[in-house]
Amino acid sequence: MFPHKIGSAWEVPAPAKLNLYLDVLGSRTDGFHELETLLVPVRIYDQLLWSASPGAGPGTSLRIRSLLQRDSPETAPINAGANNLVCRAAERLAQAAGIEPQGTFDLYKRIPVQAGLGGGSSDAAAALVLANAAWGIGYSRGRLIELAAGLGSDVPFFLGGGAAVCRGRGEQVQRVAGLPHLHFVVVKPPASLSTATVFGQWAENAAPRGGLAALVASLHGGTLVQAGRRMVNRLETAAAALSPWIERILGELAKQSLCGRLMTGSGSACFGLARSAWHARRVARLLSGKDLGSVFATSSC
Ligand code: C5P
C-alpha cells in the first residue's frame, strides 16, 4: 500500500482480499480463534483520501461515499462515526506519535461490508499509511504493523503487498511470493454476516486438517483445478447455518465450469477460481442475471 500525493492531499487505494484457505485450529482464552489462512489481495478497491481542513482545529472528520452496487436493506450500514476503523486508526497513530490528529478523510466504498472481503481492515491499513505520510510521522512499515494488530486481525496483512499465510488471530503475516496471477468471480449476496457471530457459531469438528502447503504448491505450479479442490474454509458450515445464501451461491458457482469455489473469510461473499480473466468475466455475466446480489470479476494484485 503506497500513498500518492495530489497537491496538498494524499490518496491510497485499499484492496479487498479473498481467503483461499481458512482453518480454525481452536478457540483461545482471549475470545479470538487460532487461524491458519491464505489471503490474496484482489482488485476490488475502496479509495481513501486525506486533505487538510484549514481553520478546523485539531481532530479528524470522515466523509463516506458509497459506490456499492445496489444492495438490499439487509446490508449492514457503514458506520461513519468515530468508531469507524479509519478514525480509530488515525487516532491510534496520532496517539503513538504524540501529535494532534487533523484533516478530513474521504472514503469511497466499493468493497461490500460484512462480506469477508476485508474492506474495513483494508481501510484501516490505508488510514495508517495515509496519516503516516500526511502528518510527516515517518514510521517504518514494521512500526505501523505493530499498531495495526490492535485495530483488527486482518489489518497487518493489508500493510504489505501480495498474498500471505496468516496465523495466530490472523496478525502473524508470512508473505507468499511467486503465486501466478489468479482470476476470480466474487458474489456478495444481499445478506451480510457479522464476523463475531460466525466465529461464535463455529464448532470443533473431526474433519481432517492440513493441506495448506499442498494448496500453495498447486498454485505455484499453476495446476488450478487441483488448487481449487484444495481450497477449504472451516467457517463455511457455521456461516451456512446462519444464512441460506451461502449454500445457494456455492450451488450456483458449482454449476459453472470453475476450478474451485469457496466462501471468503466469515462470509457472506463466496467466490469461484476461474481459468482466465475472460473466463471470470463470462461466469460473472452469467451469474449477474440470477438475482444473487453483487457480482464481480476480479483478479489478484
Ligand atoms: O479482529 P477483528 O476485529 O476482525 O475480529 C472481529 C471478531 O471476530 C472478534 O471480536 C472475534 O469475535 C472474531 N474473531 C475470532 N478469531 C479471529 C478473528 C476474529 O474469533 N482470529
Side-chain angles (χ1 to χ4, degrees):
M1 230 179 228
F2 294 99
H4 320 285
K5 196 162 198 273
I6 314 162
S8 61
W10 289 84
E11 177 189 39
V12 71
K17 58 84 175 162
L18 295 173
N19 300 72
L20 271 54
Y21 181 98
L22 195 166
D23 196 0
V24 184
L25 305 177
S27 50
R28 312 185 343 172
T29 49
D30 61 1
F32 286 85
H33 292 75
E34 196 69 14
L35 304 182
E36 186 173 54
T37 181
L38 173 63
L39 292 175
V40 175
V42 293
R43 295 168 198 267
I44 304 171
Y45 291 103
D46 287 348
Q47 201 77 16
L48 188 65
L49 274 89
W50 177 91
S51 50
S53 356
T60 55
S61 57
L62 171 66
R63 296 184 295 212
I64 300 179
R65 320 260 161 87
S66 177
L67 308 173
L68 298 172
Q69 291 182 27
R70 186 177 54 82
D71 252 335
S72 88
E74 277 181 87
T75 297
I78 303 164
N79 164 21
N83 230 3
N84 185 290
L85 271 180
V86 167
C87 300
R88 285 177 37 210
E91 189 62 41
R92 183 171 283 247
L93 178 67
Q95 243 173 33
I99 62 162
E100 289 282 8
Q102 42 128 342
T104 301
F105 287 100
D106 281 289
L107 176 60
Y108 297 85
K109 281 296 303 173
R110 281 189 205 85
I111 306 173
V113 298
Q114 296 204 328
L117 293 167
S121 303
S122 190
D123 297 343
L128 285 177
V129 164
L130 215 52
N132 189 44
W135 299 341
I137 294 173
Y139 275 169
S140 67
R141 207 41 68 122
R143 181 75 182 101
L144 292 182
I145 287 172
E146 282 168 23
L147 297 175
L151 291 163
S153 307
D154 289 339
V155 185
F157 161 77
F158 283 108
L159 282 171
V165 168
C166 300
R167 297 192 170 84
R169 300 162 37 211
E171 86 290 8
Q172 296 164 22
V173 181
Q174 189 186 351
R175 294 286 154 195
V176 178
L179 289 189
H181 197 54
L182 298 168
H183 300 277
F184 303 99
V185 51
V186 179
V187 184
K188 160 64 179 58
S192 300
L193 284 171
S194 136
T195 305
T197 309
V198 175
F199 272 103
Q201 183 80 20
W202 171 83
E204 190 89 52
N205 63 48
R209 319 207 83 85
L212 176 58
L215 169 60
V216 172
S218 307
L219 291 169
H220 272 139
T223 46
L224 295 184
V225 173
Q226 195 179 52
R229 270 193 237 111
R230 289 175 167 165
M231 298 193 310
V232 172
N233 185 337
R234 305 266 179 209
L235 289 174
E236 236 172 51
T237 313
L242 292 163
S243 171
W245 280 104
I246 308 302
E247 274 182 19
R248 172 152 180 225
I249 291 174
L250 290 172
E252 289 292 345
L253 290 168
K255 291 183 204 159
Q256 309 300 325
S257 53
L258 292 159
C259 303
R261 61 193 177 277
L262 202 68
M263 184 181 84
T264 177
S266 54
S268 58
C270 299
F271 66 95
L273 175 61
R275 290 189 300 271
S276 63
W278 177 84
H279 184 211
R281 280 199 301 273
R282 191 172 65 92
V283 175
R285 234 183 352 261
L286 281 168
L287 293 179
S288 292
K290 289 181 180 268
D291 271 338
L292 297 172
S294 305
V295 182
F296 304 80
T298 189
S299 60
S300 54
C301 57

